[in-house]
Amino acid sequence: MRAARLIKMVLLLQSRPSMTAAELAAELEVSERTITRDALALSEAGVPVYADRGRAGGYRLVGGYRTRLTGLARGEAEALFLSGLPGALRDMGLEDAASAARLKVSAALLPSLRDAPDSVAQRFLLDAPGWYQEPETPELLPPIAEAVWDDRMVAARYRRGDREVERELAPYGLVLKAGVWYLCARSGTAFRTYRVDRFVSVALTVEHFERDERFDLSAFWAERAAEFARSILRAEIVVRLTEAGARRLPYVTDRGAAEEALAAAVAEDGGIRVVLPVESEEVAFSQLLTLGPEAEVLAPASLRERFGAAARAMAARYA
């Protein structure tokens, strides 16, 4: 543990001109007294750590000293590719590996390029969770992530509706979609998708599985996401839209379904007529209500009557 901390301290000092004891203590999550002892230990081991005295003082490496301990471990290299997802790394238990990897990369950079990581971090950020919700980290995400990284089989219990099922899974990959984690795994010979927050228990086995090299996580997810989007659109409604309503339709309902409906729209007096696939009348009502007078539901009659009642109630309220 201490050896790893000493190495990290050297890498920190190598990547920056100097650091105070307080800064090093914060980075390494130890006390300033421990930093003083570690600096003395490094100096006794032949690493030229110099302590500047005074208010503006700190620790620095003398004479352009550079360590060769910058090789990335496999786990660190893999975690580095996820470094744009700090929340996801933390949830999967990979934050320390990514931090060590970034530090090693920074230490290996030429002095003129050492500000590159900070420069990029101030310009680009990927915020995966959706708006208006506080994402919750599934309790069993870390062991599932460990199994994914290590190609380990898992024995799992999964909540499906009002019952629980047992499965032996080969976990191929994790997907974070709008703040919700999904596991893409092989069950028997079929690949399936599971919501991580519905796992009741997960036990890693000693057995490793042979990964199918033809499996493409990105392509698999895109295909399943498209299938899911199509599968929930079980009803159709007919709507007359104004120009403004047509422009806004893809933003209030399923974008693919809206774009296909608009492409097949028929022009008529007062706007265009579209046949729109929807999940249900209930969902269509809540979605199209946001378009206000820019949309008029023509069919089915039950949905049209519901919009009429809502319009009359609102007119009476604002009369």
Side-chain angles (χ1 to χ4, degrees):
M1 184 71 176
R2 191 190 185 200
R5 188 176 70 243
L6 292 175
I7 292 172
K8 190 172 183 179
M9 184 173 174
V10 173
L11 291 172
L12 282 167
L13 293 174
Q14 185 173 308
S15 63
R16 307 178 195 182
S18 69
M19 295 183 71
T20 66
E23 289 172 337
L24 284 167
E27 287 278 359
L28 299 174
E29 299 180 346
V30 295
S31 67
E32 292 185 34
R33 187 183 295 274
T34 298
I35 294 299
T36 301
R37 289 198 297 265
D38 285 352
L40 181 61
L42 286 170
S43 182
E44 291 175 348
V47 178
V49 178
Y50 181 78
D52 290 315
R53 304 290 180 182
R55 181 175 296 179
Y59 292 93
R60 59 186 174 87
L61 294 176
V62 179
Y65 176 87
R66 295 183 65 79
T67 176
R68 294 185 179 183
L69 296 173
T70 53
L72 292 179
R74 179 177 178 85
E76 294 169 346
E78 291 171 335
L80 187 60
F81 287 98
L82 290 169
S83 59
L85 290 164
L89 282 167
R90 183 178 58 252
D91 294 346
M92 290 189 291
L94 296 172
E95 190 172 27
D96 288 343
S99 174
R102 287 193 296 269
L103 187 56
K104 289 181 179 182
V105 170
S106 296
L109 291 173
L110 294 172
S112 60
L113 298 177
R114 291 213 184 120
D115 67 337
D118 290 335
S119 176
V120 172
Q122 293 303 320
R123 287 165 172 79
F124 302 100
L125 174 68
L126 178 58
D127 184 11
W131 288 102
Y132 314 121
Q133 60 179 338
E134 187 65 31
E136 295 184 4
T137 302
E139 183 180 348
L140 295 174
L141 178 61
I144 291 174
E146 181 183 346
V148 169
W149 286 118
D150 204 26
D151 293 345
R152 291 267 294 280
M153 296 292 294
V154 298
R157 290 181 64 85
Y158 186 77
R159 192 171 62 255
R160 175 171 291 169
D162 58 355
R163 64 191 180 96
E164 293 181 6
V165 296
E166 294 185 0
R167 293 286 185 272
E168 188 172 78
L169 303 174
Y172 269 64
L174 283 163
V175 175
L176 177 60
K177 170 70 172 176
V180 179
W181 286 94
Y182 296 88
L183 172 67
C184 301
R186 192 184 71 225
S187 176
T189 59
F191 286 95
R192 304 183 188 281
T193 305
Y194 303 86
R195 274 186 63 139
V196 174
D197 58 7
R198 292 180 184 166
F199 280 101
V200 178
S201 66
V202 171
L204 277 68
T205 70
V206 296
E207 182 185 355
H208 290 258
F209 64 88
E210 189 77 23
R211 185 172 284 267
D212 186 344
E213 297 300 329
R214 297 168 298 176
F215 178 82
D216 183 316
L217 179 60
S218 179
F220 173 80
W221 176 257
E223 181 182 345
R224 289 305 167 91
E227 286 178 3
F228 175 75
R230 287 193 299 268
S231 70
I232 63 174
L233 302 179
R234 301 186 182 94
E236 282 188 345
I237 63 172
V238 182
V239 187
R240 182 184 292 120
L241 298 167
T242 64
E243 230 177 87
R247 284 197 303 271
R248 291 168 53 192
L249 185 65
Y251 300 98
V252 302
T253 186
D254 181 83
R255 177 178 286 273
E259 289 176 347
E260 288 181 15
L262 290 170
V266 177
E268 58 183 32
D269 290 341
I272 60 172
R273 183 188 184 101
V274 300
V275 178
L276 179 68
V278 295
E279 185 175 344
S280 66
E281 287 190 23
E282 182 69 31
V283 172
F285 177 76
S286 63
Q287 290 174 336
L288 297 183
L289 199 60
T290 62
L291 296 181
E294 309 302 335
E296 178 189 358
V297 173
L298 305 177
S302 56
L303 185 58
R304 179 178 175 84
E305 288 170 6
R306 187 170 180 181
F307 270 95
R312 288 190 295 273
M314 187 161 296
R317 183 160 296 175
Y318 286 95

